[in-house]
Amino acid sequence: QVPLVESGGGWVQAGGSLRLSCAASLRAFSIWTMGWFRQPPGKEREFVAAISWSGGTTYYADFVKGRFTISRDNAKNTVYLQMNSLKPEDTAVYYCAADTIGRPPTNLHKTYEYDYWGQGTQVTVSS
């Protein structure tokens, strides 16, 4: 069973909004640091945002600051990525990921810090 399942992707015009969800099937979700990454066509996977287990601390890539918001609901075992003011360059497959060990935040932007990955959800932004 895949422990993480993303949803909420789709097609949107530039300037529009989407909210991605990532549901975890394991109870331990509430103590995991969670991250969102994306992989644009023909490019490597890149960090988007991360959130601490409590939701009290968040981290963002510079290119999404002020436009995207990461949040979580531990009662629902779900992490969200609210994406506003979308641009064509935001087109990518978006993945959620879980750091199950609670590593220091220094390298939360690195894919190797995460133990579980979802299958990804496609986001397409048209100009």
Side-chain angles (χ1 to χ4, degrees):
Q1 184 180 7
V2 177
L4 301 174
V5 179
E6 301 97 336
S7 62
W11 178 89
V12 65
Q13 287 190 320
S17 298
L18 284 173
R19 188 175 83 154
L20 306 183
S21 299
C22 173
S25 59
L26 299 177
R27 277 190 187 178
F29 168 86
S30 63
I31 62 171
W32 296 345
T33 296
M34 298 297 296
W36 283 98
F37 286 74
R38 70 186 188 186
Q39 189 161 12
K43 297 185 179 180
E44 293 188 350
R45 197 168 297 190
E46 61 186 5
F47 173 76
V48 175
I51 188 167
S52 63
W53 67 270
S54 67
T57 305
T58 55
Y59 312 85
Y60 294 96
D62 287 344
F63 55 78
V64 302
K65 283 181 180 176
R67 300 190 299 127
F68 292 8
T69 303
I70 189 171
S71 62
R72 66 190 298 161
D73 185 339
N74 286 344
K76 296 182 178 179
N77 276 18
T78 302
V79 63
Y80 304 97
L81 185 69
Q82 177 67 44
M83 305 186 295
N84 298 329
S85 302
L86 283 162
K87 305 174 181 180
E89 51 264 43
D90 293 319
T91 295
V93 178
Y94 283 72
Y95 298 89
C96 69
D99 164 17
T100 65
I101 299 177
R103 300 171 176 87
T106 310
N107 291 322
L108 281 178
H109 60 293
K110 301 291 189 181
T111 56
Y112 59 70
E113 291 290 283
Y114 296 85
D115 310 291
Y116 291 136
W117 291 83
Q119 82 289 352
T121 186
Q122 176 70 46
V123 171
T124 302
V125 185
S126 65
S127 57

